[in-house]
Amino acid sequence: MKKNFFSAISLRTAGISSMVIAPTISLLIWYIIGLSSFDALLLFVILFAIVFAIIYLVSAYLHNSRVNQLTRIIKNISHKQFEVYDDIQLQKNDELDDLIKQTIRASRMVEKELIRLNKIENYRKEFIGDISHELKTPIFAIQGFIETLLNGAIHDDEVNEVFLHKAMRNVNRLTYLTKDLMEISRLETGELKTNIQEVFLRDLIMDVVESLQFKAQKENIELVLHDFDKNIQIRADRNQIKQVLVNLIENAIKYNKENGKVEIGVTVLNRDKVELFVKDTGIGIDPKDIERVTERFYRVDKSRSREKGGTGLGLSIVKHIIEAHGEKLTIESEPEKSSTFRFTLSRVSHVSV
């Protein structure tokens, strides 16, 4: 079909040219020699055929390489094979060159779209696998406790309350997991919009530190807030940045050592940016794990995280919120010593008039 299409172009070109050249030559010869009408007509037909054949062959020769290039590109697209096509040189700048350029652009667009669709499909499979794995543990635990109680343990005062508390703890874990899954789904799909406003940074941090003070004391962890200018204002979504701080400080408490410390502070980078950090004295993160700790369900210490009720989504939520604000998250850690999480925030600069 493609060859027929380009053959038709050459035929049309040859036909139009022949219709102009052949009659002109025929009329000239007829005028000079004085041929009869029949001989002139016969001469016209012969000249038309000759001119048509010459023009067609020349046109086909000139277009052949470019037609082959175009056929190659189209065939590659149909077979989902994509090349760079650096070897294609376009110099004539005619309609055929334009068609080749447009086909190359179409090839690149199809390639990008296929890559995007493959990423989405891989993400979907991975996400479903992760959810299935995470839900399976608490559900099986709850099932086991309830079956044991139904099989007679409910009448044993020494174990019935213990089993109920364990089942409740797993129910709470399912609740937290469902909440975090909904949150990260809304963040990744862009459904959760950021409500940017001017916020006093010290007030925001104090709210979070005070709300987590009891949890820190219960784990024998000291929360230390470094002093900084109370007049610093940032442009951010107050609730989302509070969630970032809660997740980071809770992780710092959870993965800390006994009688450890969590430090929270702010560094002024320049007129437009500040950097907030959360530093702990905990178990640290191995260098090979730093790149992956913000992935969904990735845990450095799986047994400890589950024991403390973690969902494995906290740092992934942090990363998505920070990126949604157009800011940067960095992680520094030394195994068995400390970890420091830093993220930038846009500062409000009030210009005096």
Side-chain angles (χ1 to χ4, degrees), residues 2-3 5-14 55-71 90 92-97 100:
K2 289 188 275 291
K3 288 184 178 179
F5 171 71
F6 291 112
S7 296
I9 293 177
S10 297
L11 284 169
R12 187 177 65 180
T13 304
I55 294 175
Y56 175 77
L57 291 173
V58 171
S59 177
Y61 174 76
L62 293 175
H63 294 325
N64 185 56
S65 63
R66 292 189 296 167
V67 169
N68 289 338
Q69 289 172 346
L70 191 56
T71 304
L90 303 175
K92 294 182 173 58
N93 293 321
D94 57 7
E95 292 82 355
L96 192 53
D97 275 3
I100 293 173

Side-chain angles (χ1 to χ4, degrees), residues 18-77:
S18 300
M19 290 175 66
V20 175
I21 298 173
T24 304
I25 296 175
S26 299
L27 288 170
L28 184 62
I29 294 175
W30 184 32
Y31 177 77
I32 295 173
I33 301 178
L35 296 175
S36 65
S37 299
F38 176 79
D39 291 337
L41 180 62
L42 182 62
L43 177 64
F44 167 75
V45 172
I46 295 170
L47 287 174
F48 182 88
I50 294 171
V51 172
F52 181 89
I54 292 172
I55 294 175
Y56 175 77
L57 291 173
V58 171
S59 177
Y61 174 76
L62 293 175
H63 294 325
N64 185 56
S65 63
R66 292 189 296 167
V67 169
N68 289 338
Q69 289 172 346
L70 191 56
T71 304
R72 166 189 154 202
I73 299 169
I74 295 172
K75 188 180 292 184
N76 285 341
I77 293 175

Side-chain angles (χ1 to χ4, degrees), residues 47-187:
L47 287 174
F48 182 88
I50 294 171
V51 172
F52 181 89
I54 292 172
I55 294 175
Y56 175 77
L57 291 173
V58 171
S59 177
Y61 174 76
L62 293 175
H63 294 325
N64 185 56
S65 63
R66 292 189 296 167
V67 169
N68 289 338
Q69 289 172 346
L70 191 56
T71 304
R72 166 189 154 202
I73 299 169
I74 295 172
K75 188 180 292 184
N76 285 341
I77 293 175
S78 65
H79 293 159
K80 297 180 182 179
Q81 297 173 351
F82 304 98
E83 301 177 16
V84 180
Y85 302 114
D86 286 337
D87 59 318
I88 295 180
Q89 302 293 329
L90 303 175
Q91 298 176 345
K92 294 182 173 58
N93 293 321
D94 57 7
E95 292 82 355
L96 192 53
D97 275 3
D98 289 339
L99 189 57
I100 293 173
K101 289 176 185 176
Q102 290 176 19
T103 310
I104 291 174
R105 282 198 294 268
S107 173
R108 290 170 183 162
M109 289 177 65
V110 171
E111 182 182 15
K112 288 179 181 178
E113 185 64 15
L114 285 175
I115 291 171
R116 188 184 71 85
L117 291 174
N118 286 333
K119 282 183 178 178
I120 291 173
E121 179 62 17
N122 292 334
Y123 168 84
R124 185 187 65 82
K125 290 179 180 177
E126 182 184 342
F127 194 54
I128 291 174
D130 289 340
I131 293 173
S132 301
H133 178 73
E134 292 299 321
L135 291 176
K136 181 174 63 177
T137 304
I139 288 173
F140 284 176
I142 294 168
Q143 184 182 27
F145 292 135
I146 292 176
E147 284 180 353
T148 305
L149 289 168
L150 290 174
N151 288 334
I154 194 169
H155 302 296
D156 187 342
D157 294 336
E158 293 183 3
V159 298
N160 56 11
E161 192 172 340
V162 174
F163 278 23
L164 285 172
H165 279 298
K166 288 182 177 180
M168 190 62 195
R169 187 165 65 243
N170 281 279
V171 170
N172 288 336
R173 184 177 164 200
L174 281 174
T175 303
Y176 296 141
L177 182 58
T178 304
K179 176 178 172 292
D180 282 353
L181 282 170
M182 291 175 63
E183 189 77 14
I184 199 167
S185 175
R186 293 172 66 196
L187 285 166

Side-chain angles (χ1 to χ4, degrees), residues 184-201:
I184 199 167
S185 175
R186 293 172 66 196
L187 285 166
E188 290 182 341
T189 58
E191 182 184 341
L192 186 64
K193 303 300 181 182
T194 54
N195 179 24
I196 303 297
Q197 53 188 303
E198 295 184 2
V199 180
F200 281 99
L201 185 55

Side-chain angles (χ1 to χ4, degrees), residues 209-221 223 253:
V209 171
E210 288 173 2
S211 68
L212 294 175
Q213 197 66 252
F214 176 75
K215 179 178 283 191
Q217 290 173 356
K218 190 177 177 181
E219 300 291 336
N220 294 318
I221 304 296
L223 291 185
I253 294 171

